[in-house]
Amino acid sequence: APHIFHNLILLVMQVFWLEFKEKDITITISPSTKKVLIDFRTVSAVLSHIFDNMSKYCQTNTSVNIQIEKIENYIGAHFIMQSIRITDEDYQHFFTENYSGHYAKMTGLAGSGIGMSMVEELLKLNNGVIKIDRNIFPTQGRIVGGIPYETNRITLMFQSE
């Protein structure tokens, strides 16, 4: 069914509001009334996994920028954040079940490694696409407490109404 992507993102984000506030992370989201053809429950679960990872792996006292735009027959949401470095090996195994990233493990925040493999499966059910772009602004990289942070972008795309 068609859903306004912006509203769904805000709805799921509210669950993680306290975690972002505690880490002093500011979130901005571009206004949009664009609708996506999705199953509400499964895409809510996808967004929950994305926000859960963001709340764990984003650098304290930074901002997350969410931009929604039309990309051909899709509506895309770009989540741009200062988060822990995604190594080449991490990138190759991003959707591998039971795999947690190198720096995710170093922070002690890594989960069971099931989240992103679940995201990939749920996206398939919705004809959705996910794209990971690492270190998009190399000059903005920082090392905090021995952990490297870089500007990473996750893009979720779903068919537009």
Side-chain angles (χ1 to χ4, degrees):
H3 294 277
I4 297 175
F5 204 9
H6 178 274
N7 294 358
L8 179 57
I9 291 169
L10 283 180
L11 187 69
V12 175
M13 187 178 67
Q14 284 181 339
V15 177
F16 297 92
W17 188 252
L18 194 58
E19 282 96 327
F20 288 119
K21 194 159 177 52
E22 284 172 354
K23 289 183 77 174
D24 202 18
I25 294 169
T26 305
I27 298 178
T28 56
I29 181 167
S30 64
S32 174
T33 55
K34 292 176 174 34
K35 291 184 179 180
V36 288
L37 296 171
I38 52 146
D39 173 68
F40 182 86
R41 284 194 179 130
T42 54
V43 173
S44 293
V46 165
L47 289 166
S48 287
H49 284 293
I50 300 293
F51 280 118
D52 182 48
N53 282 353
M54 286 168 54
S55 72
K56 290 192 291 190
Y57 304 131
C58 280
Q59 183 182 336
T60 301
N61 199 22
T62 58
S63 60
V64 172
N65 186 358
I66 305 169
Q67 299 167 347
I68 299 169
E69 66 174 350
K70 189 161 176 51
I71 307 167
E72 293 170 22
N73 296 332
Y74 289 87
I75 303 298
H78 305 286
F79 298 81
I80 302 161
M81 69 207 82
Q82 191 79 0
S83 58
I84 58 173
R85 176 180 291 155
I86 301 166
T87 67
D88 291 343
E89 187 179 355
D90 296 344
Y91 186 72
Q92 289 168 2
H93 295 284
F94 210 79
F95 301 104
T96 303
E97 196 171 339
N98 301 320
Y99 181 87
S100 290
H102 176 73
Y103 293 107
K105 286 187 267 195
M106 273 183 70
T107 62
L109 297 170
S112 60
I114 210 158
M116 293 312 290
S117 66
M118 177 95 61
V119 162
E120 190 177 47
E121 291 305 310
L122 294 173
L123 283 171
K124 285 177 189 169
L125 295 174
N126 287 278
N127 300 312
V129 176
I130 187 169
K131 191 169 172 254
I132 312 296
D133 296 299
R134 305 178 289 161
N135 199 20
I136 58 172
F137 301 118
T139 58
Q140 292 182 8
R142 299 280 179 272
I143 294 176
V144 181
I147 303 290
Y149 289 86
E150 297 174 340
T151 306
N152 297 308
R153 176 176 52 214
I154 296 175
T155 302
L156 292 177
M157 294 186 289
F158 297 99
Q159 290 179 320
S160 63
E161 182 187 35

PDB file of all heavy atoms in Angstrom, residues 140-160:
ATOM      1  N   GLN A 140      36.519  14.754   6.536  1.00  0.00           N
ATOM      2  CA  GLN A 140      35.750  14.882   7.780  1.00  0.00           C
ATOM      3  C   GLN A 140      35.975  13.728   8.756  1.00  0.00           C
ATOM      4  O   GLN A 140      35.354  13.667   9.803  1.00  0.00           O
ATOM      5  CB  GLN A 140      34.252  15.007   7.465  1.00  0.00           C
ATOM      6  CG  GLN A 140      33.909  16.303   6.768  1.00  0.00           C
ATOM      7  CD  GLN A 140      32.419  16.444   6.512  1.00  0.00           C
ATOM      8  OE1 GLN A 140      31.614  15.647   6.969  1.00  0.00           O
ATOM      9  NE2 GLN A 140      32.057  17.468   5.765  1.00  0.00           N
ATOM     10  N   GLY A 141      36.859  12.797   8.395  1.00  0.00           N
ATOM     11  CA  GLY A 141      37.137  11.660   9.269  1.00  0.00           C
ATOM     12  C   GLY A 141      37.747  12.108  10.589  1.00  0.00           C
ATOM     13  O   GLY A 141      38.484  13.096  10.650  1.00  0.00           O
ATOM     14  N   ARG A 142      37.420  11.400  11.660  1.00  0.00           N
ATOM     15  CA  ARG A 142      37.933  11.708  12.997  1.00  0.00           C
ATOM     16  C   ARG A 142      38.255  10.397  13.711  1.00  0.00           C
ATOM     17  O   ARG A 142      37.631   9.382  13.454  1.00  0.00           O
ATOM     18  CB  ARG A 142      36.867  12.438  13.840  1.00  0.00           C
ATOM     19  CG  ARG A 142      36.392  13.761  13.292  1.00  0.00           C
ATOM     20  CD  ARG A 142      37.372  14.888  13.604  1.00  0.00           C
ATOM     21  NE  ARG A 142      36.930  16.159  13.047  1.00  0.00           N
ATOM     22  CZ  ARG A 142      37.215  16.593  11.822  1.00  0.00           C
ATOM     23  NH1 ARG A 142      37.924  15.856  11.007  1.00  0.00           N
ATOM     24  NH2 ARG A 142      36.796  17.776  11.406  1.00  0.00           N
ATOM     25  N   ILE A 143      39.197  10.481  14.641  1.00  0.00           N
ATOM     26  CA  ILE A 143      39.443   9.335  15.518  1.00  0.00           C
ATOM     27  C   ILE A 143      39.084   9.771  16.932  1.00  0.00           C
ATOM     28  O   ILE A 143      39.584  10.780  17.419  1.00  0.00           O
ATOM     29  CB  ILE A 143      40.904   8.846  15.429  1.00  0.00           C
ATOM     30  CG1 ILE A 143      41.160   8.293  14.026  1.00  0.00           C
ATOM     31  CG2 ILE A 143      41.182   7.772  16.485  1.00  0.00           C
ATOM     32  CD1 ILE A 143      42.580   7.870  13.751  1.00  0.00           C
ATOM     33  N   VAL A 144      38.167   9.057  17.549  1.00  0.00           N
ATOM     34  CA  VAL A 144      37.702   9.387  18.900  1.00  0.00           C
ATOM     35  C   VAL A 144      37.870   8.145  19.766  1.00  0.00           C
ATOM     36  O   VAL A 144      37.293   7.102  19.471  1.00  0.00           O
ATOM     37  CB  VAL A 144      36.213   9.830  18.885  1.00  0.00           C
ATOM     38  CG1 VAL A 144      35.745  10.186  20.290  1.00  0.00           C
ATOM     39  CG2 VAL A 144      35.997  10.993  17.933  1.00  0.00           C
ATOM     40  N   GLY A 145      38.688   8.278  20.794  1.00  0.00           N
ATOM     41  CA  GLY A 145      38.921   7.134  21.688  1.00  0.00           C
ATOM     42  C   GLY A 145      39.463   5.917  20.963  1.00  0.00           C
ATOM     43  O   GLY A 145      39.111   4.782  21.298  1.00  0.00           O
ATOM     44  N   GLY A 146      40.286   6.147  19.947  1.00  0.00           N
ATOM     45  CA  GLY A 146      40.881   5.045  19.187  1.00  0.00           C
ATOM     46  C   GLY A 146      39.974   4.445  18.124  1.00  0.00           C
ATOM     47  O   GLY A 146      40.357   3.519  17.415  1.00  0.00           O
ATOM     48  N   ILE A 147      38.760   4.981  17.996  1.00  0.00           N
ATOM     49  CA  ILE A 147      37.799   4.466  17.003  1.00  0.00           C
ATOM     50  C   ILE A 147      37.690   5.480  15.862  1.00  0.00           C
ATOM     51  O   ILE A 147      37.389   6.649  16.100  1.00  0.00           O
ATOM     52  CB  ILE A 147      36.395   4.253  17.629  1.00  0.00           C
ATOM     53  CG1 ILE A 147      36.459   3.301  18.836  1.00  0.00           C
ATOM     54  CG2 ILE A 147      35.393   3.756  16.588  1.00  0.00           C
ATOM     55  CD1 ILE A 147      36.748   1.859  18.513  1.00  0.00           C
ATOM     56  N   PRO A 148      37.915   5.041  14.615  1.00  0.00           N
ATOM     57  CA  PRO A 148      37.783   5.974  13.483  1.00  0.00           C
ATOM     58  C   PRO A 148      36.322   6.159  13.071  1.00  0.00           C
ATOM     59  O   PRO A 148      35.576   5.191  12.953  1.00  0.00           O
ATOM     60  CB  PRO A 148      38.582   5.291  12.371  1.00  0.00           C
ATOM     61  CG  PRO A 148      38.569   3.845  12.705  1.00  0.00           C
ATOM     62  CD  PRO A 148      38.404   3.732  14.205  1.00  0.00           C
ATOM     63  N   TYR A 149      35.951   7.427  12.878  1.00  0.00           N
ATOM     64  CA  TYR A 149      34.612   7.778  12.402  1.00  0.00           C
ATOM     65  C   TYR A 149      34.734   8.438  11.038  1.00  0.00           C
ATOM     66  O   TYR A 149      35.653   9.223  10.808  1.00  0.00           O
ATOM     67  CB  TYR A 149      33.929   8.744  13.383  1.00  0.00           C
ATOM     68  CG  TYR A 149      33.529   8.086  14.680  1.00  0.00           C
ATOM     69  CD1 TYR A 149      34.433   7.989  15.731  1.00  0.00           C
ATOM     70  CD2 TYR A 149      32.262   7.555  14.845  1.00  0.00           C
ATOM     71  CE1 TYR A 149      34.073   7.379  16.929  1.00  0.00           C
ATOM     72  CE2 TYR A 149      31.896   6.945  16.038  1.00  0.00           C
ATOM     73  CZ  TYR A 149      32.804   6.854  17.069  1.00  0.00           C
ATOM     74  OH  TYR A 149      32.440   6.242  18.240  1.00  0.00           O
ATOM     75  N   GLU A 150      33.789   8.127  10.146  1.00  0.00           N
ATOM     76  CA  GLU A 150      33.783   8.683   8.795  1.00  0.00           C
ATOM     77  C   GLU A 150      32.353   9.044   8.415  1.00  0.00           C
ATOM     78  O   GLU A 150      31.402   8.591   9.054  1.00  0.00           O
ATOM     79  CB  GLU A 150      34.335   7.650   7.800  1.00  0.00           C
ATOM     80  CG  GLU A 150      35.781   7.290   8.085  1.00  0.00           C
ATOM     81  CD  GLU A 150      36.332   6.166   7.219  1.00  0.00           C
ATOM     82  OE1 GLU A 150      35.552   5.386   6.651  1.00  0.00           O
ATOM     83  OE2 GLU A 150      37.561   6.083   7.117  1.00  0.00           O
ATOM     84  N   THR A 151      32.217   9.859   7.371  1.00  0.00           N
ATOM     85  CA  THR A 151      30.880  10.197   6.892  1.00  0.00           C
ATOM     86  C   THR A 151      30.410   9.077   5.968  1.00  0.00           C
ATOM     87  O   THR A 151      30.983   8.848   4.910  1.00  0.00           O
ATOM     88  CB  THR A 151      30.883  11.541   6.142  1.00  0.00           C
ATOM     89  OG1 THR A 151      31.473  12.537   6.990  1.00  0.00           O
ATOM     90  CG2 THR A 151      29.462  11.952   5.775  1.00  0.00           C
ATOM     91  N   ASN A 152      29.387   8.372   6.424  1.00  0.00           N
ATOM     92  CA  ASN A 152      28.826   7.260   5.658  1.00  0.00           C
ATOM     93  C   ASN A 152      27.391   7.596   5.267  1.00  0.00           C
ATOM     94  O   ASN A 152      26.708   8.345   5.969  1.00  0.00           O
ATOM     95  CB  ASN A 152      28.858   5.974   6.488  1.00  0.00           C
ATOM     96  CG  ASN A 152      30.281   5.549   6.821  1.00  0.00           C
ATOM     97  OD1 ASN A 152      31.120   5.445   5.941  1.00  0.00           O
ATOM     98  ND2 ASN A 152      30.552   5.329   8.097  1.00  0.00           N
ATOM     99  N   ARG A 153      26.980   7.013   4.126  1.00  0.00           N
ATOM    100  CA  ARG A 153      25.610   7.259   3.644  1.00  0.00           C
ATOM    101  C   ARG A 153      24.948   5.918   3.363  1.00  0.00           C
ATOM    102  O   ARG A 153      25.491   5.085   2.653  1.00  0.00           O
ATOM    103  CB  ARG A 153      25.642   8.105   2.377  1.00  0.00           C
ATOM    104  CG  ARG A 153      24.257   8.317   1.753  1.00  0.00           C
ATOM    105  CD  ARG A 153      24.307   9.252   0.550  1.00  0.00           C
ATOM    106  NE  ARG A 153      25.314   8.815  -0.402  1.00  0.00           N
ATOM    107  CZ  ARG A 153      26.056   9.644  -1.152  1.00  0.00           C
ATOM    108  NH1 ARG A 153      25.894  10.953  -1.066  1.00  0.00           N
ATOM    109  NH2 ARG A 153      26.954   9.173  -1.986  1.00  0.00           N
ATOM    110  N   ILE A 154      23.778   5.747   3.950  1.00  0.00           N
ATOM    111  CA  ILE A 154      22.937   4.579   3.651  1.00  0.00           C
ATOM    112  C   ILE A 154      21.740   5.110   2.877  1.00  0.00           C
ATOM    113  O   ILE A 154      21.080   6.057   3.314  1.00  0.00           O
ATOM    114  CB  ILE A 154      22.470   3.869   4.933  1.00  0.00           C
ATOM    115  CG1 ILE A 154      23.678   3.292   5.683  1.00  0.00           C
ATOM    116  CG2 ILE A 154      21.447   2.774   4.612  1.00  0.00           C
ATOM    117  CD1 ILE A 154      23.330   2.684   7.024  1.00  0.00           C
ATOM    118  N   THR A 155      21.470   4.520   1.733  1.00  0.00           N
ATOM    119  CA  THR A 155      20.310   4.923   0.941  1.00  0.00           C
ATOM    120  C   THR A 155      19.333   3.760   0.858  1.00  0.00           C
ATOM    121  O   THR A 155      19.728   2.642   0.498  1.00  0.00           O
ATOM    122  CB  THR A 155      20.733   5.362  -0.480  1.00  0.00           C
ATOM    123  OG1 THR A 155      21.674   6.432  -0.363  1.00  0.00           O
ATOM    124  CG2 THR A 155      19.524   5.831  -1.293  1.00  0.00           C
ATOM    125  N   LEU A 156      18.086   4.018   1.227  1.00  0.00           N
ATOM    126  CA  LEU A 156      16.998   3.045   1.068  1.00  0.00           C
ATOM    127  C   LEU A 156      16.104   3.539  -0.052  1.00  0.00           C
ATOM    128  O   LEU A 156      15.728   4.713  -0.072  1.00  0.00           O
ATOM    129  CB  LEU A 156      16.178   2.944   2.357  1.00  0.00           C
ATOM    130  CG  LEU A 156      16.825   2.345   3.580  1.00  0.00           C
ATOM    131  CD1 LEU A 156      15.858   2.422   4.756  1.00  0.00           C
ATOM    132  CD2 LEU A 156      17.228   0.899   3.326  1.00  0.00           C
ATOM    133  N   MET A 157      15.765   2.645  -0.980  1.00  0.00           N
ATOM    134  CA  MET A 157      14.903   3.038  -2.100  1.00  0.00           C
ATOM    135  C   MET A 157      13.744   2.057  -2.241  1.00  0.00           C
ATOM    136  O   MET A 157      13.940   0.848  -2.162  1.00  0.00           O
ATOM    137  CB  MET A 157      15.707   3.082  -3.400  1.00  0.00           C
ATOM    138  CG  MET A 157      16.754   4.172  -3.404  1.00  0.00           C
ATOM    139  SD  MET A 157      17.590   4.342  -4.992  1.00  0.00           S
ATOM    140  CE  MET A 157      18.563   2.863  -5.040  1.00  0.00           C
ATOM    141  N   PHE A 158      12.562   2.642  -2.439  1.00  0.00           N
ATOM    142  CA  PHE A 158      11.353   1.853  -2.664  1.00  0.00           C
ATOM    143  C   PHE A 158      10.606   2.423  -3.864  1.00  0.00           C
ATOM    144  O   PHE A 158      10.748   3.597  -4.179  1.00  0.00           O
ATOM    145  CB  PHE A 158      10.446   1.883  -1.422  1.00  0.00           C
ATOM    146  CG  PHE A 158      11.077   1.271  -0.214  1.00  0.00           C
ATOM    147  CD1 PHE A 158      11.664   2.066   0.757  1.00  0.00           C
ATOM    148  CD2 PHE A 158      11.102  -0.093  -0.042  1.00  0.00           C
ATOM    149  CE1 PHE A 158      12.273   1.518   1.871  1.00  0.00           C
ATOM    150  CE2 PHE A 158      11.714  -0.675   1.075  1.00  0.00           C
ATOM    151  CZ  PHE A 158      12.280   0.142   2.027  1.00  0.00           C
ATOM    152  N   GLN A 159       9.802   1.569  -4.481  1.00  0.00           N
ATOM    153  CA  GLN A 159       9.041   2.022  -5.655  1.00  0.00           C
ATOM    154  C   GLN A 159       8.102   3.151  -5.258  1.00  0.00           C
ATOM    155  O   GLN A 159       7.438   3.084  -4.231  1.00  0.00           O
ATOM    156  CB  GLN A 159       8.256   0.874  -6.268  1.00  0.00           C
ATOM    157  CG  GLN A 159       9.167  -0.155  -6.937  1.00  0.00           C
ATOM    158  CD  GLN A 159       8.381  -1.305  -7.530  1.00  0.00           C
ATOM    159  OE1 GLN A 159       7.417  -1.794  -6.940  1.00  0.00           O
ATOM    160  NE2 GLN A 159       8.797  -1.742  -8.706  1.00  0.00           N
ATOM    161  N   SER A 160       8.073   4.177  -6.109  1.00  0.00           N
ATOM    162  CA  SER A 160       7.174   5.296  -5.829  1.00  0.00           C
ATOM    163  C   SER A 160       5.764   4.935  -6.265  1.00  0.00           C
ATOM    164  O   SER A 160       5.566   4.070  -7.118  1.00  0.00           O
ATOM    165  CB  SER A 160       7.651   6.576  -6.520  1.00  0.00           C
ATOM    166  OG  SER A 160       7.630   6.402  -7.914  1.00  0.00           O
TER     167      SER A 160
END
